[in-house]
Amino acid sequence: MKHTTLPLVAKALGEKYDIQVQISGDQAYTNGRIINLPSLPDSKEAALLARGYIDHESAHIRFTDFSVKSSTSMLKCLTNILEDIRIEKMMGAKYPGCRSNLKDLAEHLKQQGSFTPSLQDPPQTLLAWLCARGRLTLNQDFSDILAMTSSTVNGFLGTGYKKLLDLTERIPNLVSTRDSQSMAEEILRLIRDEKHQQEQERKRQEDQKAKTTCSSDGSKPDGSSNDQEEYNQTSGTDQQSGKPKQDTDDSSPDGDNTGTAAGDDSQSQAAGNPSPPVPKSGSSGELGGNPEALQEMLDCDPGGFGDVGEILKHELITEGETVGNRGGVLLPPEASLRTFPIDIHETRRHTALLRARLSGLIQASRLRRRHARRTGSKIDNRVVHRLALNDTRLFLHQEEKTEVNTAIMILVDRSGSMQHQKIEVASKTAYVVAEALDSIPGCFAAVAAFPVGNSDGVAPLVRFGERPCSSKFGMSAGGGTPLAQALYWAGVELLKREEPRKILLSVTDGEPDDLRTTKRAIRWLLEQGIEPMGLGICEESVRTIFPTYGVVYSVEELPPALFGMLQEKLTR
């Protein structure tokens, strides 16, 4: 798979999802309308995180009801995990490619340990278990996290674990944010109820143990002495009735013989609780469980554990801290530019000349070539005489027409180094090229200028499908030369086009702010199948940047220079 750089990911995905994506500052966030990414390095890992964050947060913007609020930290965490699973499922159904992106992201975060809990932390363990159980429904491989946490959650909940399993079977059926929160509330009610039952069972066992202890040391639960009872036993009379004491093995009402009573209670409890057996906790008897752990689940703030959005924010900020060392590239924003008309009387002659030469080139390439070959269905009467020479190339063959079908983006450098004669030549050159290409069937041209003002912005002058207008090409020069950023912007625009041939023509003096980053942008364009070309204006430094280049010192030199550059590109 081709390595796609962050600016492409940000802009292309944002436009695909009809959501504004911007890259600025050092924070990752969304406000429900805009997704902001920090400046990031041009690396595969950063692109994966950025793509995942845009996919994930776009799903929230599209499918989450932000008016649903949670009253406690644990309710919020449970709701977020369930909502993440729900919206990722819906996003994957609407955009199949997104399903694969999110699966890759989840696997990456899992390998990083983002979903691995401390098993001594009950809230984290429960959230990791829920996350794994839900993500398995998305065909994401979280079986290892589920296996790691199941026995621990089972030990916390005791017999309530089976109820939790039954409850979470409904995760694939969640259809709204309120559904996600309702299930989270049910989970908390289940935990609260199980905690109460475990505490009641513990109290019953403690009372039973107290009775057993009293019986074994001869004292009564109220601390009174058994002297009178010993006297009655010696005298052979019953204390209450005064009648002679019967010699019997039955248990006394005060619990001196607890074995039979406990057995009866156990049978009664088993009859009233048909839940399947689960591993028991030594501290909570027959119900199993750990009420202290359940109380911690109810009270503690897990700190966003398992929340993909929060995890990605942290990862993106960490990646962004390396930008200074690894050369991050920002995708420049679109901006407006004040322009003025240029004198088209001088340019018309050059436009007509270039148009004529390009049209003749295209027409020649479209002519069907006819030649004979040894197989076919129609005999070429012109070559029947070849039979006398034992030449069997008799069948007519015509090559298909070559269609141009090309998108061309023209970038005009209006930096400070392009002042005076250079900017005049550059603006007229862009107009001549755009107008000449506009008349060629199968050619679609767009023009943009950079930078705009004191920023790295790019100003579209002519968009694809629009006719060039001379009033949009007059411009002044000023600012730096963020050529790399402009190349990335233009590459994104070209990649949105359906034409199989894509050409990027930069009209510049070839003195970029960052030569290394510019060369990296050129390599990326080539990887994406875009053919970069540089037309140097009064400078030959474009030779060291662009694989295909030309140099002009005046508009008069444009037709032959540009014709030589486009000749092979348009007819290949």
Side-chain angles (χ1 to χ4, degrees):
M1 185 177 69
K2 294 177 180 177
H3 167 44
T4 54
T5 193
L6 174 61
L8 168 66
V9 172
K11 187 172 180 65
L13 287 180
E15 293 187 358
K16 177 180 178 181
Y17 302 146
D18 194 25
I19 291 170
Q20 184 178 350
V21 179
Q22 63 185 26
I23 304 175
S24 63
D26 58 0
Q27 298 295 314
Y29 63 86
T30 178
N31 60 8
R33 296 178 296 103
I34 299 173
I35 295 175
N36 186 84
L37 293 171
S39 304
L40 293 172
D42 185 18
S43 68
K44 291 183 179 180
E45 183 174 356
L48 173 65
L49 293 172
R51 181 190 297 272
Y53 187 70
I54 293 171
D55 283 345
H56 184 82
E57 294 303 326
S58 295
H60 273 304
I61 292 174
R62 189 176 295 272
F63 300 116
T64 293
D65 181 357
F66 290 96
S67 68
V68 176
K69 305 296 181 182
S70 298
S71 57
T72 67
S73 296
M74 193 61 178
L75 176 60
K76 180 180 179 180
C77 286
L78 289 169
T79 302
N80 283 343
I81 287 176
L82 293 169
E83 183 68 358
D84 284 350
I85 294 164
R86 184 186 75 83
I87 56 120
E88 286 187 19
K89 177 184 176 183
M90 297 183 70
M91 197 69 168
K94 188 173 183 65
Y95 303 100
C98 180
R99 184 187 301 114
S100 176
N101 295 339
L102 291 171
K103 184 176 181 179
D104 292 343
L105 173 70
E107 180 63 26
H108 171 78
L109 295 180
K110 188 184 74 168
Q111 295 299 326
Q112 295 286 98
S114 300
F115 298 108
T116 303
S118 167
L119 296 180
Q120 285 72 44
D121 187 321
Q124 272 195 15
T125 305
L126 174 67
L127 293 173
W129 178 91
L130 181 63
C131 185
R133 185 156 170 80
R135 291 194 171 276
L136 283 171
T137 66
L138 301 177
N139 293 321
Q140 297 176 3
D141 186 10
F142 272 64
S143 55
D144 51 346
I145 301 294
L146 188 65
M148 176 195 305
T149 56
S150 289
S151 60
T152 305
V153 175
N154 196 335
F156 292 155
L157 282 170
T159 55
Y161 183 67
K162 176 62 167 58
K163 300 176 185 177
L164 183 63
L165 287 174
D166 293 341
L167 174 59
T168 52
E169 284 289 337
R170 301 182 351 234
I171 288 177
N173 300 328
L174 299 174
V175 297
S176 68
T177 306
R178 294 201 179 275
D179 283 354
S180 298
Q181 187 179 69
S182 295
M183 179 172 287
E185 290 171 342
E186 287 186 68
I187 292 173
L188 290 178
R189 277 197 299 271
L190 172 62
I191 293 172
R192 199 173 290 111
D193 292 344
E194 291 302 317
K195 170 183 168 292
H196 178 71
Q197 291 184 30
Q198 291 176 19
E199 289 175 340
Q200 291 296 102
E201 173 62 16
R202 177 179 288 184
K203 185 176 185 302
R204 188 192 69 77
Q205 291 185 23
E206 289 174 350
D207 291 345
Q208 188 70 30
K209 183 178 180 180
K211 291 181 181 180
T212 303
T213 302
C214 292
S215 173
S216 63
D217 62 11
S219 62
K220 292 185 178 181
D222 60 2
S224 62
S225 172
N226 281 348
D227 291 345
Q228 182 63 40
E229 184 174 348
E230 292 175 358
Y231 171 78
N232 290 338
Q233 290 175 349
T234 303
S235 63
T237 61
D238 184 86
Q239 184 179 11
Q240 293 183 358
S241 63
K243 297 181 181 181
K245 182 174 178 67
Q246 299 288 330
D247 187 11
T248 176
D249 289 336
D250 292 341
S251 300
S252 62
D254 63 2
D256 288 344
N257 189 345
T258 60
T260 304
D264 293 343
D265 183 77
S266 176
Q267 293 174 4
S268 173
Q269 179 187 2
N273 185 6
S275 301
V278 294
K280 300 176 182 179
S281 171
S283 63
S284 298
E286 296 177 7
L287 283 177
N290 186 331
E292 289 80 14
L294 299 184
Q295 185 63 51
E296 191 173 348
M297 292 179 186
L298 296 171
D299 294 341
C300 289
D301 181 357
F305 182 89
D307 185 338
V308 173
E310 291 300 319
I311 295 171
L312 284 173
K313 284 181 184 179
H314 176 74
E315 292 285 331
L316 287 168
I317 292 171
T318 301
E319 281 288 316
E321 293 173 352
T322 67
V323 166
N325 297 326
R326 296 169 65 183
V329 176
L330 293 183
L331 190 68
E334 288 189 4
S336 58
L337 176 67
R338 293 186 61 182
T339 60
F340 50 86
I342 62 173
D343 182 5
I344 63 174
H345 298 290
E346 180 186 356
T347 62
R348 279 180 175 172
R349 180 171 59 87
H350 307 298
T351 300
L353 180 58
L354 180 60
R355 182 191 299 122
R357 297 192 67 173
L358 290 177
S359 297
L361 177 66
I362 298 303
Q363 185 177 6
S365 68
R366 285 182 162 187
L367 293 177
R368 292 187 177 183
R369 297 182 180 179
R370 302 175 59 180
H371 62 271
R373 63 182 184 179
R374 290 182 174 84
T375 60
S377 58
K378 185 177 181 180
I379 294 178
D380 187 350
N381 294 326
R382 300 173 304 167
V383 296
V384 174
H385 62 278
R386 290 180 179 177
L387 282 174
L389 302 174
N390 293 325
D391 188 345
T392 57
R393 293 176 296 168
L394 305 174
F395 296 94
L396 180 64
H397 174 69
Q398 295 187 20
E399 292 183 353
E400 294 295 326
K401 289 182 178 180
T402 301
E403 297 294 336
V404 177
N405 207 14
T406 300
I408 302 178
M409 170 66 74
I410 304 168
L411 272 181
V412 180
D413 175 6
R414 55 175 300 274
S415 60
S417 61
M418 293 283 291
Q419 289 183 357
H420 308 305
Q421 179 190 1
K422 287 184 181 181
I423 191 62
E424 182 181 354
V425 173
S427 59
K428 289 182 178 180
T429 294
Y431 176 73
V432 167
V433 175
E435 193 175 37
L437 293 174
D438 182 64
S439 63
I440 299 176
C443 272
F444 302 90
V447 184
F450 74 97
V452 178
N454 295 323
S455 69
D456 295 343
V458 178
L461 304 180
V462 179
R463 296 187 183 273
F464 287 108
E466 293 181 352
R467 295 293 304 274
C469 179
S470 61
S471 63
K472 295 182 178 180
F473 284 81
M475 65 190 80
S476 59
T481 312
L483 180 57
Q485 291 88 331
L487 290 174
Y488 279 126
W489 178 90
V492 170
E493 295 300 308
L494 283 169
L495 286 174
K496 293 187 292 184
R497 301 294 300 177
E498 297 181 354
E499 291 79 16
R501 173 70 54 78
K502 299 175 177 64
I503 296 174
L504 174 51
L505 174 63
S506 297
V507 182
T508 177
D509 60 2
E511 298 179 4
D513 292 341
D514 188 337
L515 181 59
R516 186 177 65 175
T517 305
T518 300
K519 289 185 175 181
R520 187 166 62 244
I522 295 291
R523 289 195 298 271
W524 173 77
L525 290 169
L526 292 170
E527 289 174 0
Q528 306 307 314
I530 298 173
E531 302 171 70
M533 301 167 53
L535 184 62
I537 304 298
C538 305
E539 294 286 347
E540 298 192 2
S541 54
V542 291
R543 300 174 185 271
T544 63
I545 301 176
F546 295 92
T548 303
Y549 60 86
V551 179
V552 297
Y553 290 85
S554 65
V555 180
E556 287 76 9
E557 299 177 7
L558 177 62
L562 194 61
F563 180 79
M565 296 168 64
L566 292 175
Q567 182 175 5
E568 180 183 357
K569 302 292 184 182
L570 294 179
T571 59
R572 190 170 57 191

